[in-house]
Amino acid sequence: MSERSHQPRRAVLYVPASNEKAIAKAASLACDAVIFDLEDAVAPAEKAAARERLRGWFANRPEKTPELVIRVNALATEWGTEDLLAARACAPDAVLLPKVNTPRDIHDFDDALDETDAPEGMALWIMIETPKAMLNLGALAEFGRDRAARLDCFVAGTNDLVKETGVLATPDRRYITPWLMQMVLAACAGGLDVLDGVSNDFRDLDAFARECAEGAAMGFDGKTLIHPAQIEPALKAFSPSPDAVAEAEAIRAAFALPENAGKGVISLDGRMVERLHLAQAERLLGRAGRS
C-alpha cells in the first residue's frame, strides 16, 4: 500500500470509455477503483466521443464512487494530448499512463499535468508492460519516494508483456512470475501500490480465484479486472484475514497510547514491536478498508 494513501485497491475494474452503459454503472460497483480506459479499449474512430462521454459523466458524477482513474494514451501518440486535457477537465483521482519505458516518460507526464494546473492530489499510475519498463523498474520506482512527484501505483500489463516478449502464456503464469515478483519488489522499494494484471477468461471464476490467491501471496495489493463478475473473488483474495486485522489494530492502538508517543520500540503481548511493524499494520488495515 502506498505511503500516500491507505485506500484499499484490491479489485480495480477496467471500464471502456466508449461503453456508455458500463460507465453509468461505475458508481454502483463494489470494486475499490474503476479505470475508465481511453487507450486499448477504445477504437481510434471512437476516442473523441469517448472523451466527451467521460467529461459529461464526471461533470455530474455521483457523490459516492469508487476511486476513479482514467487511462490515457501515451503523450507521443496522436491522441495523447487530447486525452490529457480531457483527464484534467474530469479531475479523476488518478491518471494511468501506458507504455512507460523510462523515467523520462514520468518526468514529461508530470510536467504536462503541472502545466495544465492539475490538482495536486491527482495521482499518477503507470503501466509496467514493456521490456524497457522491466529493465528500468528501480529507476521508475524512485519517483514514489519523491514527494514532489505524483507516482502512486504500478499496474502490471501482463498481456502486453507476453506479446512484446513472445513468452508462452500458461495458466500458472510460470514464465512471467519472475517479472511479477520484480514489480512487487520495486514497488515496495518505492513505497508504491502494485496491481496484478488482468485474467482474460472472465467466465472461469475458479481459475481467476486461484490467480488472485497467487497474486496476493506474491505481495500484490490487488488485481485489475475486466468484468464485474471478478470483483467479489478479488476482494476476498486480497482482503486480510480477521486475525491479521485484529493484530494490526492492536499494534496501531498500542503506538497511539500517550506513554508510547515517540517510541521506536514498544512491548506488546510479550514481544517487541517496532515502528516498521506499525507501518506494516497501517498498510494491512488500509487493504482491509480500516485506515
Side-chain angles (χ1 to χ4, degrees):
M1 182 67 60
S2 161
E3 291 182 353
R4 292 196 173 113
S5 168
H6 288 298
Q7 287 182 261
R9 290 166 179 161
R10 301 159 297 181
V12 178
L13 179 69
Y14 284 108
V15 172
S18 55
N19 189 327
E20 188 171 3
K21 289 184 179 179
I23 292 173
K25 294 178 181 178
S28 63
L29 296 172
C31 54
D32 294 317
V34 170
I35 299 173
F36 294 113
D37 190 12
L38 286 168
E39 196 215 10
D40 287 345
V42 180
E46 297 178 342
K47 290 190 186 291
R51 288 187 210 105
E52 292 311 307
R53 188 172 291 111
L54 284 186
R55 288 177 191 265
W57 188 87
F58 272 89
N60 300 284
R61 63 191 283 184
E63 185 175 337
K64 187 176 182 181
T65 67
E67 187 174 14
L68 301 176
V69 184
I70 296 177
R71 180 162 77 168
V72 298
N73 285 272
L75 284 180
T77 68
E78 61 185 287
W79 312 287
T81 299
E82 290 301 321
D83 282 0
L84 168 67
L85 293 175
R88 168 63 188 89
C90 292
D93 298 300
V95 178
L96 174 56
L97 183 64
K99 306 301 186 286
V100 169
N101 287 313
T102 70
R104 174 53 58 187
D105 296 323
I106 298 178
H107 269 300
D108 290 348
F109 202 80
D110 255 339
D111 288 346
L113 287 174
D114 291 342
E115 287 169 7
T116 62
D117 293 322
E120 193 174 311
M122 187 186 294
L124 176 61
W125 296 13
I126 64 170
M127 299 294 302
I128 305 297
E129 57 185 347
T130 70
K132 279 189 176 180
M134 289 301 307
L135 292 176
N136 288 310
L137 274 176
L140 297 174
E142 281 300 306
F143 283 89
R145 297 296 182 189
D146 181 355
R147 305 318 297 176
R150 298 173 182 267
L151 186 61
D152 196 46
C153 187
F154 280 174
V155 180
T158 44
N159 285 337
D160 278 270
L161 275 173
V162 167
K163 181 186 72 174
E164 293 267 337
T165 61
V167 165
L168 181 64
T170 61
D172 62 2
R173 304 197 294 177
R174 71 183 71 178
Y175 300 117
I176 66 169
T177 293
W179 298 340
L180 295 172
M181 294 300 301
Q182 288 180 56
M183 293 181 205
V184 172
L185 187 65
C188 289
L192 301 166
D193 275 4
V194 58
L195 304 178
D196 196 0
V198 299
S199 179
N200 299 316
D201 187 356
F202 60 84
R203 294 164 298 185
D204 190 345
L205 292 180
D206 289 336
F208 176 74
R210 288 194 297 271
E211 196 168 294
C212 285
E214 291 166 358
M218 288 184 211
F220 282 97
D221 293 286
K223 191 165 182 67
T224 47
L225 321 175
I226 59 172
H227 194 278
Q230 298 174 323
I231 293 174
E232 186 176 347
L235 291 175
K236 181 178 179 181
F238 289 95
S239 294
S241 69
D243 287 345
V245 170
E247 181 180 2
E249 288 181 330
I251 290 173
R252 182 167 66 180
F255 272 103
L257 293 173
E259 59 266 31
N260 292 330
K263 288 185 178 179
V265 182
I266 64 173
S267 176
L268 178 64
D269 296 330
R271 62 191 180 97
M272 302 306 292
V273 179
E274 302 178 45
R275 289 212 167 256
L276 67 89
H277 298 115
L278 174 61
Q280 291 171 344
E282 293 286 6
R283 177 187 173 105
L284 185 145
L285 291 171
R287 285 172 51 207
R290 301 194 185 186
S291 56

